[in-house]
């Protein structure tokens, strides 16, 4: 086809050149011969007209002379003289002479010749004198006043000159024809030569144009193939719909989402993909686009696949115009089913977490490390604690949290928090706040700094518990000590009741550490989800995105989300009070606690683990209370290791906590051993006393006391301690089997 096109181009070029040469030759001959003859013929007619007019003027002049020469030959009276007829005849002759002389003058202006000018001027002057004499004397003295012969001589001279020029013109015309033939031959030769050059140039341009055309065709072909690949391998559905609502185009991804083959969808109405519930809304979007020319972006709906399964999608459509009118509709669609599942799972997890936070008696918060303790989040429990709604404290909208801290405790709070942040450890502090009604309340706060990837503090997370009751109990106990002999019996029952409250308060105090543990547990899966999302973006940018990549990424993200959801469930179950004594597996309970705190201990460079338990060991008791005791013992071991190494673990020895579970002679032994330096002899006998602590800032003195009460009073077991090499060992002894 390209060869035929090239040959045709050459033929068309040659035809055009031949036609141009024919036209050039025709024009040449026309202008050289016809136009020259035409011009010469006109000039010749001018000479003939002048000669003719000169003859007619002589006749008219002789006519006048004949009339006047006739008058003196007769004797007549005034009565019989025919003056009127003679005057009329002569005047008419004068008018004719004037008209013909004017014609001669007009012709002379167009073809001016100096040889004619002098004779014509003298003729005109003599004739004007004759005309004046005629008018003044009425022709009676005309012959005597003017020599009419002069005028006749001028007319004859003018005729002779024009006759001479007419004969000369005919000779010149013959010479011009001969010369024109020679010039025409030369011009035709030049035209043929130039035509040959033009042909060569045209052929060269045609060849270049053919090369450029071939290159353009290849480029266009490659572009079309590239665009087709983009459409075929697109991760989104791409389709076209006519104004009747039928598919006219569908790419592979679109057919895959719909569960059909591409050919099955072409010419089918789009309504086959929608239910009776969703179809009216989709039709409305189609009408907005096809009738009103609106563009619809990211409209979310549900389709029904060929296999009757439903998929969540978002689609966008836009009108396609031709000659100013809407011709069809083009659009894209994206399957968001997996994303919707992930969003629903995340929303449910968030709802569970918010429910959990709202049910915690203390105030959960997240704040900035600044002088105002600017709150980013604060649970509703702050209203009960301070009398102010949480919205007052968010971003210091009405007041800052620092505004309600007792002025005498402000410096101490700041000092303790900054010291803990600098050491990258949790902080524990008791201080006073001023309630909205003016009442002074004691609070107990536990929290920890959250660091970003640049090792900078991004926020503080923690919990604030109303400690006023405990302070009142301390005051009451002091009062009891002063009046012990009088009130022992009366206060015994109250003390037991308050001890139960202390158990619950001890749980609340542990929540800060638990929240910190959850923060550590969540950080890794959150980072993993972030990496997965970034990998999706990178794979798309570098054209490495595929269906398998998408499914693998979604599966891994769902795995991380389920892991986070399980952590929340473990946390919720941990603080749910056990209503009755029931059998439970010791190994599973210990592993449940380790699952919550293991990452936190790893971040503190402390090894903690439980060797495999060879057999299932079941005891009867309160599982959640047992977990609380185990958590207290593990946290005490962690604090002891931290004090020993001054928060910098020896890289060679390292911090280590070892847990063992064994069964012997109907007894179950759970041991917690550390290398934190052991318990000083001077305080060994007091470690289980209430409110006794070696850490005035962090400790409350109720952890081991409550642990002993739970194990010995509630579960009929024993809790005791001893020093071992480089550390201490706490033992929980319970009866095995089901009671």
């Amino acid at each position: 086809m390209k060869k035929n096109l090239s040959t045709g181009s050459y033929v068309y070029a040659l035809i055009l050149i031949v036609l141009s040469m024919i036209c050039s030759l025709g024009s040449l001959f026309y202008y050289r011969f016809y136009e020259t003859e035409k011009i010469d013929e006109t000039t010749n007619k001018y000479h003939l007209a002048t000669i003719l007019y000169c003859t007619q003027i002589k006749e008219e002049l002789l006519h006048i002379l004949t009339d006047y020469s006739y008058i003196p030959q007769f004797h007549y009276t005034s009565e019989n003289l025919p003056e009127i007829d003679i005057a009329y005849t002569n005047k008419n002759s004068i008018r004719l002479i004037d008209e013909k002389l004017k014609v001669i003058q007009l012709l002379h202006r167009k073809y001016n010749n100096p040889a004619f000018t002098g004779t014509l001027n003298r003729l005109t002057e003599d004739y004007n004198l004759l005309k004046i004499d005629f008018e003044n004397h009425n022709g009676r003295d005309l012959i005597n006043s003017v020599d009419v012969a002069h005028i006749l001589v001028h007319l004859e001279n003018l005729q002779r000159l024009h006759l001479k020029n007419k004969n000369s013109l005919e000779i010149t015309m013959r010479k011009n024809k001969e010369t024109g033939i020679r010039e025409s031959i030369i011009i035709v030769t030049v035209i043929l030569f130039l035509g040959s050059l033009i042909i060569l140039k045209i052929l060269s341009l045609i060849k270049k144009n053919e090369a450029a055309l071939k290159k353009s065709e290849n480029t266009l072909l490659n572009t079309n193939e590239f665009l087709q690949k983009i459409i075929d391998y697109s991760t989104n559905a791409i389709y076209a719909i006519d104004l009747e609502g039928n598919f006219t185009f569908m790419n592979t991804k679109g057919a895959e989402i719909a569960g059909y083959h591409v050919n099955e969808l072409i010419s089918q109405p789009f309504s086959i993909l929608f239910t009776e519930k969703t179809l009216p809304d989709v039709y409305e979007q189609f009408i907005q686009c096809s009738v009103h020319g609106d563009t619809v972006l990211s409209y979310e709906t549900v389709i029904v696949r060929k296999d009757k399964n439903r998929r969540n999608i978002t689609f966008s459509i836009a009108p396609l115009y031709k000659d100013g009118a809407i011709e069809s509709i083009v659009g894209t669609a994206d399957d968001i089913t997996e994303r919707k599942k992930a969003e629903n799972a995340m929303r449910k997890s968030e709802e569970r977490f918010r429910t959990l936070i709202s049910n915690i008696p203390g105030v959960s918060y997240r704040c900035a490390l600044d002088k105002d303790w600017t709150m980013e989040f604060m649970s509703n429990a702050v209203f009960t604690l301070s009398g102010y709604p949480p919205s007052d404290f968010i971003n210091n909208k009405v007041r800052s949290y620092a505004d309600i801290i007792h002025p005498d405790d402000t410096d101490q709070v700041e000092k303790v928090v900054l010291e803990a942040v600098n050491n990258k450890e949790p902080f524990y502090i008791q201080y006073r706040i001023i309630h909205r009604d003016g009442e002074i309340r004691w609070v107990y706060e536990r929290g920890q700094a959250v660091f970003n990837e640049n090792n900078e503090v991004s926020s503080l997370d923690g919990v604030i518990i109303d400690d006023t009751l405990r302070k009142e109990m301390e005051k009451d106990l002091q009062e009891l000590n002063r009046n012990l002999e009088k009130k022992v019996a009366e206060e015994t029952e109250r003390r037991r009741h308050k001890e139960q409250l202390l158990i619950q308060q001890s749980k609340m105090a542990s929540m800060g550490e638990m929240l910190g543990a959850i923060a550590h547990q969540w950080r890794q899966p959150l980072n993993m989800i972030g990496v997965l999302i970034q990998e999706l973006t990178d794979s798309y940018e570098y054209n490495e995105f595929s269906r398998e990549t998408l499914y693998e990424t979604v599966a891994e993200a769902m795995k991380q989300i389920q892991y986070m959801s399980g952590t929340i469930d473990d946390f919720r179950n941990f603080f749910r009070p056990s209503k009755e004594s029931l059998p439970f597996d010791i190994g599973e309970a210990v592993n449940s606690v380790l699952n919550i705190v293991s990452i936190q201990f790893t971040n503190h460079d402390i090894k903690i683990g439980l060797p495999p338990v060879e057999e299932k060991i079941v005891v009867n008791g309160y599982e959640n209370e047992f977990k609380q005791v185990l958590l207290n013992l593990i946290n005490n071991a962690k604090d002891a290791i931290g004090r020993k190494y001054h928060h910098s673990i020896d890289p060679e020895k390292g911090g280590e906590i070892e847990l063992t579970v064994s069964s012997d002679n109907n007894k179950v032994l759970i041991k917690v051993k550390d290398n934190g330096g052991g318990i000083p002899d001077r305080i060994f006998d007091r470690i289980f006393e209430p409110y006794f602590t070696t850490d005035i800032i962090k400790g409350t003195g109720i952890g081991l006391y409550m642990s002993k009460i739970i194990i010995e009073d509630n579960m009929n077991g024993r809790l005791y301690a001893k020093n071992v090499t480089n550390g201490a060992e706490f033992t929980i002894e319970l009866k095995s089997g089901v009671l």
Side-chain angles (χ1 to χ4, degrees), residues 211-492:
L213 180 61
K214 183 177 180 180
K215 183 177 180 181
S216 299
E217 289 177 351
N218 293 334
T219 302
L220 181 60
L221 181 61
N222 294 335
T223 302
N224 290 337
E225 292 177 353
F226 177 70
L227 292 176
Q228 188 62 43
K229 288 182 180 179
I230 291 177
I231 293 175
D232 291 339
Y233 293 101
S234 172
T235 58
N236 292 344
I238 301 175
Y239 54 89
I241 304 173
D242 61 23
L243 298 183
E244 299 297 327
N246 300 321
F247 286 112
T248 58
F249 173 79
M250 177 69 71
N251 71 341
T252 305
K253 184 63 178 179
E256 178 185 329
I257 293 174
Y260 290 85
H261 190 272
V262 172
N263 294 333
E264 293 179 312
L265 290 173
I266 301 303
S267 299
Q268 293 294 323
F270 68 81
S271 58
I272 65 173
L273 300 180
F274 299 95
T275 63
E276 294 181 358
K277 182 178 180 180
T278 59
L279 186 57
D281 292 336
V282 175
Y283 261 128
E284 182 179 351
Q285 304 305 317
F286 175 75
I287 292 172
Q288 288 293 328
C289 183
S290 61
V291 177
H292 303 291
D294 296 338
T295 298
V296 179
L297 298 176
S298 301
Y299 184 82
E300 186 172 329
T301 186
V302 177
I303 65 170
V304 180
R305 289 165 49 91
K306 184 179 180 180
D307 57 11
K308 305 305 179 183
N309 290 326
R310 300 194 174 194
R311 307 292 291 180
N312 297 92
I313 67 164
T314 59
F315 70 80
S316 301
I317 55 177
L320 186 63
Y321 290 88
K322 182 178 181 181
D323 298 330
I326 298 176
E327 180 185 34
S328 61
I329 305 300
V330 294
T332 62
D334 188 18
D335 188 344
I336 61 170
T337 304
E338 299 302 327
R339 190 186 77 188
K340 293 290 289 186
K341 290 180 180 179
E343 289 176 353
N344 292 335
M346 182 66 74
R347 183 172 59 255
K348 292 178 180 179
S349 177
E350 183 179 354
E351 289 174 354
R352 288 197 298 268
F353 182 74
R354 289 185 179 276
T355 302
L356 176 65
I357 292 297
S358 63
N359 291 330
I360 295 177
V363 179
S364 300
Y365 70 87
R366 169 169 284 184
C367 72
L369 183 61
D370 56 23
K371 63 182 182 64
D372 294 322
W373 311 112
T374 302
M375 292 293 169
E376 299 177 14
F377 166 79
M378 213 170 197
S379 65
N380 293 331
V382 72
F383 181 77
T384 303
L385 180 65
S386 66
Y388 299 106
S391 58
D392 284 8
F393 299 102
I394 302 301
N395 295 322
N396 304 324
K397 182 178 180 181
V398 178
R399 60 185 53 80
S400 68
Y401 184 73
D403 293 338
I404 66 172
I405 298 177
H406 196 283
D408 295 340
D409 296 342
T410 300
D411 294 339
Q412 180 65 17
V413 171
E414 183 177 354
K415 178 181 177 181
V416 172
V417 173
L418 290 178
E419 182 180 353
V421 171
N422 292 333
N423 294 328
K424 294 186 176 180
E425 63 181 11
F427 56 85
Y428 314 86
I429 187 171
Q430 291 175 314
Y431 56 91
R432 292 166 292 177
I433 65 170
I434 303 175
H435 194 273
R436 186 172 187 173
D437 58 11
E439 179 186 355
I440 303 298
R441 294 194 177 186
W442 282 89
V443 296
Y444 173 73
E445 180 179 348
R446 302 182 70 172
Q448 189 171 8
V450 178
F451 295 87
N452 58 23
E453 61 275 6
N454 296 324
N455 205 27
E456 299 173 345
V457 177
S458 60
S459 64
L460 300 177
D461 293 347
V463 61
I464 303 170
I465 300 172
D466 189 348
D467 202 34
T468 305
L469 179 61
R470 193 184 70 83
K471 284 294 184 180
E472 291 178 353
M473 290 178 63
E474 286 183 354
K475 183 178 180 181
D476 292 343
L477 289 173
Q478 292 173 1
E479 185 68 21
L480 285 173
N481 289 333
R482 288 193 297 266
N483 304 286
L484 185 59
E485 294 179 358
K486 297 180 181 180
K487 298 184 178 180
V488 171
E490 179 182 349
E491 296 296 331
T492 300

Side-chain angles (χ1 to χ4, degrees), residues 643-696:
R643 287 192 297 271
K644 176 182 177 181
Y645 293 103
H646 300 289
H647 314 292
S648 178
I649 305 302
D650 188 342
E652 296 181 358
K653 299 180 179 179
E656 184 175 1
I657 299 174
E658 180 181 356
L659 282 78
T660 58
V661 177
S662 62
S663 177
D664 185 29
N665 297 327
N666 296 326
K667 291 182 180 180
V668 178
L669 301 179
I670 302 98
K671 296 182 179 181
V672 180
K673 183 172 67 174
D674 63 71
N675 61 349
I679 304 170
D681 293 337
R682 57 186 175 81
I683 63 170
F684 190 91
D685 294 332
R686 302 185 60 191
I687 60 175
F688 292 106
E689 292 180 3
Y691 308 115
F692 178 80
T693 179
T694 58
D695 192 342
I696 299 176

